[in-house]
Amino acid sequence: MPLHEYEENKRRQNVDTLNASGACHICGSTARNTKGFSHCLDHEENSSSSSSAQQPRYHYNEMGTSLIPAPQTAPMRSCACFNQSKSDPDYWPYSIRVCEMCIADDCTTGRVRNCGICGAVACDENCGVEMAECTDNEGWNNMGCLECRRKECFSEIDVFKTTTTTPEGREVPKITRVCVKCLEQCTPWVRYDFTCRLFKCNTRLVPSDVVERKRFRTFGSSPLNLLPEDGLAAIVDFLPNSDLKSLYVTNSAMCHVSERVAQTRVEKCHHEFPTGPLVVGTRKSSFSCNERLWIRCEGTNDFNVRAPEDGKVWVGILHHLETIAKEAFYLGFQTDGPDMDRDAVCRFMQRQDKFQFAQVYIKDGPNSNSPLIPRPEQPNPSDDGISIRSSFILITDATVKVPFTVASSEDLVSGTGKHRFICRLFCPGSGTKNATRDSLGSYGILCKSVNEAGVDTITWAKRLDIMEGFQREDSVFGLEYDTETRELAVLNSRMSRSISSEYTISEMEGNLVFGVEFTAKAAGIKDSLMSVRECDEDEWSQFVQYTQNGDLGAVPGRNGPADLPNGGLDMLVRHRRRERDGDDNRQERVRARLDDVNVDAIENRMIRARMGRNP
């Protein structure tokens, strides 16, 4: 609903004069305040009579000789199309500028289109952000917008004849309009607005009681709302990621603070993840017809994961990154195990001493024993086919040149104690029943040294193969290297059992680093992901115990009993229990049954049966 027709016509006739003088388009004054109209020449007299301590403010010309007091200008608001150039295709000559006093006077009338929360002003329904009118009832029992009701102002509706009590106890008039941006930010997961019920009327309406509760954040009132936003953000920052998402979804009064904390957390760690686009989808398992949730980063963008390109809100992006980290770094046995450490992923994402991949090497020659040399840097990293970010190696293009080797940045010799790594290689679509069980790559210890000619050389001190799994798409393995004894302990899974091996690394001149190598099998699969994390002694003990006691993720049925045939889960559990306890006495049970069999009686029965059929 625009201004009154007479007032609007008068404003349009004098809009050029009002714009030139800087005056309000409604009252025509440039200095209207709470005391009424004030002229600039009366400013000095009013200031001296009201308070002797308040001195008049003067402004001077270029020569510094003017003693005319500075005019008391009132704060103004203007619409989105104000001061547009005439060459602009969206130019509108009747934009509006209005002072704060006119907006306050119009609070119950509604002739000036302004948002009661952010204060945005619009000259008509097509200017700036869309406005939603406040109304009395919900959509199923609403009589329509103000114009369809044939009402001249909002004060003719009963709900706007009353006031609202602020948290400080003051009585203020109810707001008449709210912009859709403020409405969506206040209610990000529930839609309270609706369209006018009359035919061909597209005016958006929202119940007034909902807007008033959102206006003062009393929709999910809490004593924390009395604190400033910086204090709230410091308190909410103590919550783990899962509780932060729950707070955002369930408490609308705290959603802005939750979004702020989530943005800070994502910006601290998004450089450690592959770049976007962040894709949230499903895919069918290669071993069953069940669909699984698959969240991945494709690694083709030139910027880190962020909102709104990769998600509407930062809380959702943080939740997706946590899901990727839990699966990629094999943290499920800590969060879902018997100890139920729900915050393990959140603490891991906030760590600053994560494992880092550094240099990429390729073979200098066609032979398998050709020396490794640093790979030349590509002019366009997005076309490289390999995305290396912190602890991740992502294959973005299946045409990458293989084999290639990636070494870590940490020197294992300079450190003391033991270095423990948990690694996971995920190749979507591999491990089917018809697969050839080829090598997906290698892992182990690399030795970086300088030869007599002064050229950097790198060789494998100990190299182990990563074999394709049986009915599983990922390969999980762990390493523990003791820098004092130079002993290397390797733990990996083959089929349905865990295999542990120990090696001694011979003394070599140079630096020892952890390294992985991709073969054509793994590098030829798009979205193949290699992830490595360094863990402490407690995490390594949990990993060893979990792997040796039987990991259902290492065999068919990794997605639950639905992926196993009938009775397969019970058979698997019994088989692993026998291997763990060492009580596999099936041969003894079969031998005991054979000892109780009377062989002579069985032969006599067979002879009589043949004679009866062939007399």
Side-chain angles (χ1 to χ4, degrees):
M1 176 181 176
L3 295 171
H4 192 273
E5 185 178 358
Y6 173 76
E7 295 178 350
E8 179 65 12
N9 291 335
K10 183 178 178 180
R11 184 186 75 86
R12 293 189 176 186
Q13 292 176 1
N14 304 319
V15 65
D16 295 335
T17 304
L18 295 172
N19 289 337
S21 61
C24 172
H25 289 193
I26 305 300
C27 64
S29 173
T30 59
R32 189 181 180 193
N33 51 33
T34 55
K35 298 180 181 180
F37 292 93
S38 176
H39 195 271
C40 61
L41 296 179
D42 300 331
H43 174 73
E44 183 177 0
E45 182 180 356
N46 295 336
S47 301
S48 60
S49 62
S50 59
S51 175
S52 59
Q54 185 178 11
Q55 298 297 327
R57 295 176 300 164
Y58 297 95
H59 67 91
Y60 300 88
N61 56 14
E62 297 178 355
M63 301 298 297
T65 57
S66 176
L67 296 179
I68 299 177
Q72 184 181 6
T73 58
M76 301 281 184
R77 299 186 199 174
S78 57
C79 64
C81 58
F82 189 77
N83 279 340
Q84 279 185 337
S85 174
K86 293 185 179 180
S87 60
D88 196 316
D90 299 328
Y91 173 72
W92 176 247
Y94 304 114
S95 57
I96 190 172
R97 178 175 56 196
V98 59
C99 64
E100 297 286 349
M101 289 300 298
C102 290
I103 293 177
D105 293 342
D106 189 69
C107 59
T108 58
T109 305
R111 289 173 179 169
V112 178
R113 302 175 63 90
N114 73 294
C115 175
I117 297 180
C118 67
V121 176
C123 56
D124 54 23
E125 62 275 6
N126 298 322
C127 177
V129 67
E130 184 181 359
M131 299 279 184
E133 287 187 5
C134 299
T135 186
D136 47 2
N137 298 322
E138 297 181 0
W140 64 273
N141 192 28
N142 194 268
M143 299 299 295
C145 63
L146 195 67
E147 187 174 357
C148 295
R149 289 186 180 187
R150 299 293 190 269
K151 302 291 185 181
E152 185 177 357
C153 59
F154 283 90
S155 58
E156 297 181 8
I157 302 177
D158 294 338
V159 69
F160 294 100
K161 295 179 181 179
T162 59
T163 58
T164 300
T165 304
T166 64
E168 295 81 9
R170 296 183 294 106
E171 298 290 335
V172 295
K174 295 183 177 180
I175 61 178
T176 56
R177 289 184 179 89
V178 60
C179 65
V180 294
K181 288 187 177 181
C182 292
L183 190 62
E184 291 175 356
Q185 291 178 359
C186 293
T187 58
W189 57 90
V190 180
R191 292 290 299 273
Y192 289 101
D193 59 317
F194 54 91
T195 307
C196 179
R197 61 186 300 176
L198 272 74
F199 183 65
K200 291 185 178 181
C201 182
N202 297 323
T203 304
R204 298 179 68 174
L205 305 175
V206 61
S208 177
D209 58 341
V210 173
V211 176
E212 294 301 326
R213 283 182 286 177
K214 297 295 181 181
R215 178 185 182 185
F216 300 109
R217 292 188 178 183
T218 58
F219 204 86
S221 59
S222 170
L224 295 176
N225 291 334
L226 303 178
L227 296 175
E229 188 171 346
D230 293 340
L232 284 175
I235 295 175
V236 174
D237 196 24
F238 284 96
L239 297 176
N241 296 338
S242 57
D243 294 341
L244 185 66
K245 178 188 175 184
S246 301
L247 179 65
Y248 178 85
V249 174
T250 57
N251 194 337
S252 60
M254 302 290 290
C255 65
H256 292 285
V257 180
S258 304
E259 183 74 356
R260 174 179 172 180
V261 174
Q263 179 180 359
T264 304
R265 292 185 181 181
V266 171
E267 291 178 347
K268 286 183 179 179
C269 66
H270 62 174
H271 63 280
E272 300 173 349
F273 288 81
T275 61
L278 184 64
V279 181
V280 181
T282 58
R283 64 185 182 89
K284 286 187 177 181
S285 175
S286 303
F287 324 116
S288 66
C289 297
N290 300 330
E291 286 192 351
R292 295 186 57 201
L293 179 64
W294 190 20
I295 304 175
R296 67 188 188 277
C297 296
E298 294 190 349
T300 56
N301 288 344
D302 297 332
F303 50 87
N304 297 324
V305 177
R306 66 189 184 188
E309 288 83 2
D310 298 293
K312 293 183 178 180
V313 293
W314 291 97
V315 174
I317 294 178
L318 180 63
H319 173 68
H320 295 327
L321 292 181
E322 185 178 21
T323 304
I324 294 174
K326 177 182 177 181
E327 183 176 2
F329 293 106
Y330 206 64
L331 291 162
F333 69 92
Q334 297 179 231
T335 58
D336 304 332
D339 296 336
M340 301 289 286
D341 188 3
R342 300 294 187 186
D343 303 336
V345 184
C346 181
R347 292 197 307 270
F348 174 77
M349 294 176 62
Q350 295 177 358
R351 285 176 51 181
Q352 301 297 327
D353 56 342
K354 296 187 182 69
F355 178 87
Q356 299 282 338
F357 281 113
Q359 182 65 44
V360 181
Y361 298 89
I362 59 175
K363 290 185 177 181
D364 188 17
N367 300 327
S368 59
N369 56 354
S370 299
L372 297 175
I373 60 173
R375 189 190 61 166
E377 295 185 1
Q378 304 295 327
N380 189 3
S382 60
D383 299 336
D384 190 12
I386 310 172
S387 175
I388 301 177
R389 303 293 294 268
S390 184
S391 307
F392 290 97
I393 303 176
L394 176 65
I395 302 299
T396 59
D397 189 356
T399 61
V400 61
K401 183 180 179 181
V402 291
F404 65 90
T405 306
V406 186
S408 65
S409 59
E410 182 181 3
D411 184 12
L412 302 180
V413 178
S414 59
T416 58
K418 295 182 178 181
H419 298 271
R420 304 172 183 90
F421 306 97
I422 298 178
C423 316
R424 178 178 180 267
L425 176 58
F426 171 71
C427 299
S430 64
T432 59
K433 62 180 181 179
N434 297 325
T436 57
R437 307 291 178 268
D438 294 332
S439 175
L440 299 176
S442 305
Y443 67 97
I445 305 298
L446 290 167
C447 179
K448 300 170 63 177
S449 60
V450 180
N451 58 14
E452 297 178 354
V455 180
D456 295 338
T457 60
I458 183 167
T459 56
W460 284 99
K462 186 58 183 179
R463 178 178 178 180
L464 302 106
D465 291 332
I466 307 174
M467 302 303 298
E468 186 177 3
F470 174 69
Q471 292 194 2
R472 58 175 300 180
E473 296 177 310
D474 60 346
S475 300
V476 181
F477 47 93
L479 293 88
E480 184 183 35
Y481 179 72
D482 193 341
T483 57
E484 297 178 357
T485 61
R486 306 181 68 89
E487 293 181 353
L488 176 65
V490 179
L491 183 66
N492 55 12
S493 298
R494 292 288 181 88
M495 301 291 289
S496 61
R497 64 184 62 187
S498 174
I499 299 177
S500 179
S501 306
E502 294 183 359
Y503 307 93
T504 301
I505 305 299
S506 59
E507 294 186 2
M508 303 178 66
E509 294 184 358
N511 299 328
L512 298 181
V513 296
F514 175 80
V516 295
E517 181 179 278
F518 277 69
T519 60
K521 179 90 175 190
I525 302 176
K526 187 178 180 296
D527 295 327
S528 293
L529 182 66
M530 180 73 187
S531 52
V532 181
R533 68 180 174 107
E534 192 169 1
C535 59
D536 54 18
E537 184 177 359
D538 295 336
E539 293 175 336
W540 177 260
S541 300
Q542 295 179 15
F543 172 70
V544 173
Q545 182 181 3
Y546 178 75
T547 307
Q548 292 178 350
N549 290 345
D551 173 17
L552 290 180
V555 293
R558 70 187 306 269
N559 303 325
D563 280 357
L564 284 170
N566 295 332
L569 183 61
D570 296 335
M571 180 184 66
L572 177 64
V573 172
R574 290 195 302 270
H575 173 67
R576 289 191 169 176
R577 188 180 298 116
R578 286 193 297 266
E579 286 187 342
R580 183 181 67 235
D581 300 336
D583 57 350
D584 191 359
N585 56 355
R586 287 175 291 177
Q587 294 183 359
E588 287 76 3
R589 294 200 307 268
V590 173
R591 188 179 298 109
R593 294 172 186 172
L594 292 176
D595 294 340
D596 296 337
V597 175
N598 191 346
V599 181
D600 296 336
I602 295 176
E603 291 180 351
N604 294 333
R605 284 198 300 269
M606 294 177 62
I607 292 172
R608 287 195 298 268
R610 286 197 298 267
M611 292 178 63
R613 287 193 295 269
N614 300 314

